[in-house]
Amino acid sequence: MGVPITIVGNLTGDPELRSTPSGAAVASFSVAVNERRRNAQTQEWEDTGTSYYRVEAWRSLAENVAASLRRGMAVVVTGEQSIEVYERKDGGTGTSVRVRAQSAGPDLRYATAVVQRHGRQGGPGARGANPGAEAGFRTGVEAGSGSGPAAGVEDPWGTGRLEGAPF
């Protein structure tokens, strides 16, 4: 079992989607996390370096990551961290931080997103029992209506909870 971790950073390249011999989808990607610390003397924020994490997502998460995320995007990833020790080409020892993703998506501090829900089987194009579930989810501001967060929002999950906001 790995150690729980949440990372927030930028994709260094497009996710690479492949399949195992048994047909399970696997997406691999790298996330660069810029470390910032507040200088106690100057009270200014300073960049203190960048850490890189190799991330693997499996099955429907892998397919959704590959279809949704691109190089340079700000992302949030939660999962389990493991440290791998390996032998470098020069004969020395190196370490690699790996994350097995349990969830991943865009960091909405810097962007907006349109969410499409897929059926229980997951993956793009999958259809669930609710025919309206594949509709895009937009905030009231994006939909150009109303004042509250639920105004003008179509409920993609069909729960009816968005009617009569606030949440």
Side-chain angles (χ1 to χ4, degrees):
M1 227 43 216
V3 176
I5 186 171
T6 298
I7 57 175
V8 179
N10 295 81
L11 290 182
T12 62
D14 289 346
E16 298 173 19
L17 183 64
R18 62 189 195 292
S19 295
T20 65
S22 65
V26 182
S28 299
F29 55 98
S30 180
V31 177
V33 177
N34 294 320
E35 307 291 337
R36 299 194 82 203
R37 303 269 190 268
R38 189 166 185 96
N39 183 316
Q41 293 175 339
T42 66
Q43 297 301 308
E44 301 274 328
W45 287 96
E46 298 175 348
D47 291 330
T48 59
T50 303
S51 297
Y52 296 90
Y53 296 83
R54 282 300 298 161
V55 181
E56 280 190 346
W58 288 80
R59 297 175 183 73
S60 63
L61 178 59
E63 293 170 355
N64 293 339
V65 161
S68 304
L69 303 178
R70 296 288 169 260
R71 178 179 186 245
M73 284 182 146
V75 296
V76 178
V77 177
T78 62
E80 293 183 352
Q81 169 184 304
S82 61
I83 308 293
E84 296 181 5
V85 179
Y86 62 93
E87 186 175 331
R88 295 189 316 233
K89 290 180 183 177
D90 65 5
T93 303
T95 59
S96 174
V97 180
R98 300 215 180 251
V99 176
R100 182 174 179 150
Q102 294 169 338
S103 62
D107 183 348
L108 297 180
R109 287 184 298 169
Y110 306 110
T112 59
V114 175
V115 178
Q116 293 181 310
R117 183 170 182 193
H118 299 288
R120 290 238 176 231
Q121 298 303 313
R127 297 289 187 251
N130 181 353
E134 290 80 24
F137 180 88
R138 294 182 294 197
T139 66
V141 173
E142 287 178 290
S145 64
S147 58
V153 175
E154 180 179 343
D155 181 6
W157 288 271
T159 62
R161 281 189 245 150
L162 294 178
E163 295 174 19
F167 293 97

